Amino acid sequence: MFLGFETRTFPEGTHTVADAAAAVGVAPGQIVKSLVVRTERGRGVLVAVSGTNRLDLGKVAGLVGEPVQMAPARWVREHTGFAIGGVPPAGHREQLETLVDEDLLRYD
């Protein structure tokens, strides 16, 4: 149990949004993709994106006030403690500024 949430594992894997949604019985839009970007100045930002949406780096840059790019795999592991593809939305090694896709607010 973490922050009041049950942790579940799926030995068969959930490599896609569709796989994850089917595994837990929810709509694909309810799946949260936890993506890490790095600003031009080296600051990490976690972006929680609805499973049906694509990350728009231009919009993120506008929100954080400087250019961003997807963070390299090694950087993500060093700063979050997790590998790309397995980054949770919380519990990182370092505190990251976090942006949440408004589309996720449609779900309970």
Side-chain angles (χ1 to χ4, degrees):
M1 194 70 90
F2 176 74
L3 297 176
F5 294 97
E6 175 188 355
T7 301
R8 296 170 57 185
T9 58
F10 301 93
E12 64 281 357
T14 54
H15 300 287
T16 67
V17 167
D19 290 344
V24 295
V26 299
Q30 290 175 274
I31 298 300
V32 178
K33 298 184 287 189
S34 300
L35 305 174
V36 180
V37 300
R38 186 170 64 180
T39 69
E40 193 172 65
R41 296 182 197 144
R43 184 169 45 113
V45 179
L46 175 78
V47 186
V49 180
S50 171
T52 54
N53 293 342
R54 294 181 56 91
L55 180 64
D56 184 327
L57 293 174
K59 286 183 180 179
V60 173
L63 290 168
V64 300
E66 62 180 298
V68 298
Q69 63 182 12
M70 294 304 297
R74 175 182 275 170
W75 193 95
V76 170
R77 185 179 285 279
E78 288 172 3
H79 294 269
T80 70
F82 300 95
I84 288 177
V87 177
H92 306 133
R93 182 174 288 146
E94 297 177 10
Q95 186 172 353
L96 300 176
E97 177 179 355
T98 302
L99 303 175
V100 177
D101 182 346
E102 289 181 344
D103 286 351
L104 290 167
L105 301 176
R106 290 190 264 166
Y107 303 103
D108 287 336

